[in-house]
Amino acid sequence: MTEPPLLEARNVTRTLPEGVTLVRDVTLSIGRGEFVAVTGPSGSGKSSLLYLLGLLDRPTSGEVLLEGRDTARLSGAEMAALRLARLGFVFQFHFLLPEFTAMDNVLIPIRRLGRLRDAAARKRALHLLDLLGLAEAASKLPEQLSGGMRQRVAIARALANDPALLLADEPTGNLDTRNAAAVFDAFARLVAEEGRTVIVVTHDPDLAARTTRRVHLVDGRIVSDAPMRAGQHPGNTSS
């Protein structure tokens, strides 16, 4: 039996009550181990699509399937439980709790899920921080870290429950060029070395060019969906 795609959107549309359509008839399939950039001009529906794929919003019509499971009929509580167990999120702002250390911030979702005892939870949190080059920052507060380090702590937190899929919405939007590159280095390593699946919304063409696939939106529709070749600029998908 063929394994279903990790994530599928089938004819997904999202229209607000006032009649504004954010996403229009999007059909998309994401396989395991892909590193996908979602690009497009401002207002094209990039973040709206990511929120639908990440089960943070529901489509007006169409279906979103995660690991072959249709999520349309799940209750709000079931959706929240599925997000906690199978999805990880990174946003433009890191949303770390300022009074908690890096380690304690990573522990939050692990403790919420409740699958690991404390010693095992702490071991996993430290492993993730080490994976992202932050082992020595485990006991530091967010205010003691650079912007890029804070965002990498946020990535570690997103990976805390071993999600099937990591979704990032403009994760480098508040970072300088060097720190933005470090964050994308972390994503690329997670895909190449750990087989993670990452979908990232970005407005930066140079960062998008470092992914393996680019989905480009205009006015809520997918206008191109193609693999990225080495050295290819995301604005040029011709042969």
Side-chain angles (χ1 to χ4, degrees), residues 1-101:
M1 186 175 176
T2 305
E3 185 179 37
L6 175 58
L7 182 70
E8 284 185 275
R10 297 177 179 173
N11 305 112
V12 165
T13 293
R14 178 66 170 106
T15 300
L16 297 178
E18 54 269 31
V20 177
T21 297
L22 305 174
V23 175
R24 300 172 185 269
D25 196 29
V26 164
T27 294
L28 182 66
S29 178
I30 305 291
R32 296 177 191 276
E34 288 200 76
F35 187 9
V36 182
V38 178
T39 63
S42 179
S44 60
K46 302 185 297 295
S47 294
S48 298
L49 177 60
L50 194 80
Y51 278 45
L52 291 164
L53 298 177
L55 312 183
L56 292 166
D57 192 15
R58 294 181 187 266
T60 308
S61 62
E63 302 170 316
V64 176
L65 289 81
L66 179 63
E67 298 175 307
R69 181 182 185 185
D70 185 357
T71 63
R73 293 176 178 81
L74 296 181
S75 68
E78 288 171 327
M79 290 269 274
L82 189 58
R83 287 194 302 268
L84 179 62
R86 303 303 292 150
L87 302 176
F89 298 92
V90 182
F91 299 99
Q92 183 169 346
F93 187 68
H94 54 75
F95 293 115
L96 300 179
L97 295 182
E99 68 275 21
F100 282 18
T101 64

Side-chain angles (χ1 to χ4, degrees), residues 170-184:
E170 296 283 9
T172 61
N174 288 325
L175 302 179
D176 60 28
T177 301
R178 181 176 63 83
N179 278 307
V183 167
F184 261 70

